[in-house]
Amino acid sequence: MRSFLLYCRAGFEKDCAAEAHDRFAEKGWNGYPQIQEGQGLVIFNADPFDPEDRSIHPPCGLDFVFARQMVDDAQLVKGLADGDRATPLVQALVSLAPKGVYRELRLEYLESQEGLGIAPFYKKFSPALFNALKRQGLKHERQDARAPILHILMPSYEEAWVGRSWPSRTSPWVNGIPRLKFPKDAPSRSTLKLDEAFLTLLDEEERKKLLENPGTAVDLGAAPGGWTFQMVQRGFFVTAVDNGAMDQALMNTGLVDHKTEDALKFRPRHAVDLLLCDMVERPQKVVPLMASWFKDRLCRWAVFNLKLPMKKRFEEYENSLQQFWELSGLNPDTHVLRARQLYHDREEITVLVRPKVLGRG
Ligand SMILES: C[S@@+](CC[C@H](N)C(=O)[O-])C[C@H]1O[C@@H](n2cnc3c(N)ncnc32)[C@H](O)[C@@H]1O
């Protein structure tokens, strides 16, 4: 049986496990989860329905909503002791790089208190690990897109998970979390959410298409302006809809039209390139609203948040997805829909919708 590590937000392990169950089953795998509640980790143990069929692959680590990162072929190395933790770990890692080459070594940690406490230890530990890998003859090839990324995740000082992932099927960041700097003039911390959404939900080509050729956006529930700020920084003209006050410096740019209206009713005179929505509203309101903008061809792309209930969040996500397709009249042949619980999201997930054919028209 193969073990996969799925990293999620602490407290969302059951949702991540429910999603893993479905995503693996869709790809022809049978499995069961081990949940580490409050640790932000799900271990999914799985086998293909047909072990002889070499064409069966696990789901891609980038396709999960609740997992930020997936690590494959995981094994737990126990009995680590002061003095030489590196040797047993490197022995386990060698079997994960059968061609003797690895692209990256990632030292990762759990989101629990203990996990976060271990993170600083890695600074001291990593030179010993790199040396031990070298002694074992493993080559570090940073540019090799086909070499595995090796992962170490230490739940405690006595044991560690080791595993691997593949560059095209995994997050580019340690723990699946991009390190973002809070822009000094941004009006709210929410600004990082949209920044992360652009990095996480879009690939390079999509970012180029959407962001490098500034156009128009509507931001529903915009105040004080963290999301609007991201777009203005990129040269977009934004209609910001909110009864609350917008940041004055942002208004002074001349790139924002503030409408103090009900965002559930607002409609633009002309279609916009991008619809944004960060209102604290139930999905039962947000999903039909987003769908109606697409149905009426008022936007081409959208990024919006869905605040999830306390329980059965994966089920709620699936229902929302289905409702969006039904009400918008779109479908997966015409549009791409991706969703992720971002590091900067709390009880919500962030959704991207874009036309399948890239371009704004
Ligand atoms: C989480 S805040 C948005 C933060 C914003 N994205 C930022 O980055 O600064 C939610 C906003 O939605 C607004 N809002 C909620 N319901 C609304 C409605 N029906 N019409 C207009 N604004 C609404 C609230 O006034 C609030 O400012």
Side-chain angles (χ1 to χ4, degrees):
M1 203 162 231
R2 253 157 91 177
S3 295
F4 299 82
L5 307 180
L6 294 152
Y7 302 7
C8 64
R9 185 176 180 84
F12 287 72
E13 297 82 7
K14 283 191 182 138
D15 313 289
C16 185
E19 181 179 20
H21 188 273
D22 278 24
R23 299 243 180 271
F24 273 84
E26 279 161 17
K27 294 282 180 187
W29 293 67
N30 237 335
Y32 67 93
Q34 285 166 259
I35 293 179
Q36 313 273 310
E37 261 187 86
Q39 308 251 301
L41 180 66
V42 172
I43 298 142
F44 199 74
N45 304 299
D47 270 330
F49 296 150
D50 178 359
E52 305 301 317
D53 185 346
R54 297 268 149 231
S55 68
I56 297 182
H57 297 292
C60 174
L62 298 170
D63 288 344
F64 285 82
V65 177
F66 289 97
R68 297 181 187 136
Q69 176 145 281
M70 185 171 87
V71 174
D72 196 344
D73 296 310
Q75 49 175 298
L76 187 61
V77 181
K78 293 183 177 171
L80 301 179
D82 279 348
D84 187 13
R85 286 186 176 83
T87 302
L89 288 178
V90 166
Q91 275 163 2
L93 288 173
V94 164
S95 63
L96 298 173
K99 294 197 175 138
V101 179
Y102 68 101
R103 179 182 166 97
E104 199 185 325
L105 174 66
R106 285 196 196 159
L107 299 174
E108 301 183 314
Y109 48 88
L110 294 176
E111 277 193 36
S112 61
Q113 255 191 342
E114 198 174 9
L116 291 169
I118 285 172
F121 159 77
Y122 287 149
K123 251 204 176 121
K124 280 193 293 182
F125 187 37
S126 60
L129 273 170
F130 279 109
N131 284 335
L133 284 168
K134 212 171 180 178
R135 276 200 306 276
Q136 286 284 337
L138 280 199
K139 272 213 227 128
H140 189 186
E141 297 280 2
R142 287 182 185 80
Q143 303 305 327
D144 189 340
R146 289 203 288 198
I149 296 167
L150 302 177
H151 298 256
I152 293 179
L153 171 74
M154 288 177 68
S156 72
Y157 289 104
E158 288 75 44
E159 53 187 25
W161 285 97
V162 297
R164 64 180 165 184
S165 65
W166 305 97
S168 62
R169 293 166 61 83
T170 199
S171 156
W173 307 289
V174 170
N175 268 42
I177 302 172
R179 305 284 144 192
L180 299 176
K181 217 172 136 203
F182 181 72
K184 79 173 177 19
D185 298 328
S188 70
R189 294 218 53 93
S190 297
T191 202
L192 293 176
K193 239 191 309 187
L194 190 60
D195 200 7
E196 185 184 354
F198 288 146
L199 279 175
T200 307
L201 295 173
L202 303 182
D203 63 25
E204 217 172 305
E205 195 189 352
E206 291 168 328
R207 272 194 296 276
K208 231 180 178 164
K209 273 277 183 271
L210 177 68
L211 303 173
E212 283 186 10
N213 184 10
T216 53
V218 165
D219 186 358
L220 300 177
W227 283 30
T228 295
F229 174 86
Q230 287 292 331
M231 303 320 300
V232 165
Q233 290 284 89
R234 293 171 165 96
F236 273 66
F237 184 84
V238 185
T239 305
V241 187
D242 202 307
N243 285 313
M246 291 294 286
D247 177 76
Q248 195 50 48
L250 201 52
M251 296 305 301
N252 292 346
T253 61
L255 285 174
V256 183
D257 179 15
H258 182 194
K259 306 265 190 210
T260 48
E261 292 179 32
D262 183 353
L264 296 170
K265 297 197 181 125
F266 174 81
R267 286 285 189 271
R269 219 176 285 159
H270 303 288
V272 291
D273 297 308
L274 175 66
L275 170 64
L276 300 171
C277 178
D278 185 28
M279 282 189 284
V280 188
E281 275 289 359
R282 290 172 307 130
Q284 288 81 348
K285 282 208 170 158
V286 174
V287 171
L289 180 67
M290 297 297 102
S292 72
W293 276 64
F294 277 97
K295 192 170 174 45
D296 298 340
R297 296 175 182 270
L298 294 175
C299 62
R300 298 183 183 95
W301 293 52
V303 176
F304 56 95
N305 268 334
L306 289 181
K307 317 276 166 203
L308 295 175
M310 295 298 284
K311 286 188 183 156
K312 299 206 169 167
R313 296 163 177 130
F314 180 59
E315 212 174 293
E316 177 82 23
Y317 160 72
E318 294 243 288
N319 292 339
S320 295
L321 191 73
Q322 197 183 343
Q323 196 191 20
F324 177 82
W325 290 131
E326 277 168 21
L327 296 179
S328 63
L330 310 178
N331 62 66
D333 290 333
T334 63
H335 282 71
V336 173
L337 187 152
R338 284 187 208 121
R340 181 74 54 83
Q341 187 171 37
L342 304 172
Y343 175 69
H344 292 94
D345 280 334
R346 290 173 189 269
E347 300 292 313
E348 71 250 0
I349 57 174
T350 302
V351 183
L352 159 88
V353 182
R354 70 151 175 90
K356 203 150 199 178
V357 178
L358 276 180
R360 297 244 188 77

